[in-house]
Amino acid sequence: MTGANNTYILIMAGGVGSRFWPKSRNHFPKQFIDILGLGKSLLQLTYERFLKICPNEQIFILTNENYAQLVKEQLPYILEKNILLEPSRNNTAPCIAYASYKISKSNPLANIVVAPSDHLILKEDFFLDKINQALSFSSYNEALLTLGISPSRPDTGYGYIKYQNLSVEHQVSSIEKQVSSIKNNDAEIKKVTDFMEKPSLKKAQSYLDSGDYVWNAGIFIWSANAIIKAFEKYAPEIASLFAKGLDSYNTGTEKEFINSNYPSSPNISIDYAILERADNVYTIPADIGWSDLGTWASLHHVVEKDEDGNACRCQHINLQNTKDCLIQLPANKAAVIKGLSDYIIVDDGKVLLIYPKSDEQEIKQIAGQMVKDFGNEYQ
């Protein structure tokens, strides 16, 4: 464990997870669901993973105010003051700024890990090792680090990070000692040169072939000082807004300040606001068995399947000439399915979804149309 007393974790748990509709709904989104069938939600799995990095008292949950009770129920040991409630959905930059200013006030030496609440990590020991490497680096350097996922295929659904394929000691002489001390398992810190948007298949293949790209997993490591300086330089509107709250953070007036000011913050991601503009961004390529579980197909890819490629979560099912399907049914429902290939079949008790996996990017729009046509009960 690296500098645990100064290490803080920010788990972002405010999303709706609309691509997992109808299981993930506005009132009970994906991060709170036992989507893997392990008896624990994705949020609970993420929280338990980070308990191996720092103590419970230094783990914060960033979530929408509508989910405060869900967080308390699923994480009963989290301190209530560590549940930071967003009064509006303004993307990731404002919530990270809020938490960073708040933590920096109580500990100016804070070293922060920012992570989504709904990702799967199969190689947990490797993950923790890379996080500790990054924390060691960020505690001594004004650097913004990302955990870059070593791509296993030319996936067009992820953003890519391009890095210089040189070790950092050849680039920044002042950090030679730190870099040489944290090399391990061929994971070296790399200087980021570009953030690439979701590419075409041809471009994704060229990225994979070059060996100079990683997937952008949205897992970040930096000191509070470094990220606050970055906000001041690249997103001054966000910096000035949350700096105004310094007298309120960690006091009885914090909630009032946030409720009054947070909704006026720009709606922008941390990638666009900071990382794609900053010149001190680094990445650690990592093979950690990662999936963002962003879609039903990505879930199908990682869960256990039968000899025909079907992933079933149901008590009683009869499958005939059916293959490569993901099937989730309520505990009290049986099903007979014949002649389907590569389909998503999900019944949450109120909504039955039968949809080709190849068209799953349409599900978010379909969910919106259902709400428009039939009311908010389908949201």
Side-chain angles (χ1 to χ4, degrees), residues 265-297:
S265 61
N267 189 328
I268 189 170
S269 72
I270 193 69
D271 301 72
Y272 284 120
I274 304 293
L275 294 167
E276 294 186 13
R277 305 176 64 195
D279 58 6
N280 60 334
V281 181
Y282 297 84
T283 189
I284 301 182
D287 177 11
I288 55 173
W290 172 89
S291 173
D292 68 345
L293 294 180
T295 63
W296 285 114

Side-chain angles (χ1 to χ4, degrees), residues 5-11 57-62 81-82 84 95-114 222-225 227-228 246 249-250 254:
N5 288 340
N6 291 328
T7 298
Y8 294 79
I9 308 296
L10 305 181
I11 299 175
E57 293 76 15
Q58 289 165 221
I59 298 178
F60 288 77
I61 309 297
L62 293 159
K81 66 185 181 67
N82 286 15
L84 308 188
C95 71
I96 290 172
Y98 165 30
S100 299
Y101 277 94
K102 174 183 172 67
I103 290 171
S104 178
K105 181 182 176 183
S106 62
N107 184 355
L109 299 178
N111 217 9
I112 299 172
V113 180
V114 180
W222 43 54
S223 67
N225 179 61
I227 191 60
I228 287 173
L246 285 173
Y249 299 139
N250 308 317
E254 178 178 329

Side-chain angles (χ1 to χ4, degrees), residues 146-151 153-162 194-200 203-204 207 213-218 271-272 276 283 290 292:
T146 74
L147 203 62
I149 305 304
S150 301
R153 59 189 183 277
D155 199 301
T156 60
Y158 298 136
Y160 286 70
I161 299 171
K162 183 180 181 181
D194 287 296
F195 280 76
M196 322 300 289
E197 298 304 318
K198 295 176 182 178
S200 65
K203 280 189 175 181
Y207 294 167
Y213 294 80
V214 287
W215 288 334
N216 182 6
D271 301 72
Y272 284 120
E276 294 186 13
T283 189
W290 172 89
D292 68 345

Side-chain angles (χ1 to χ4, degrees), residues 33 51 56 164 214 368:
I33 299 172
L51 280 175
N56 175 65
Q164 292 178 6
V214 287

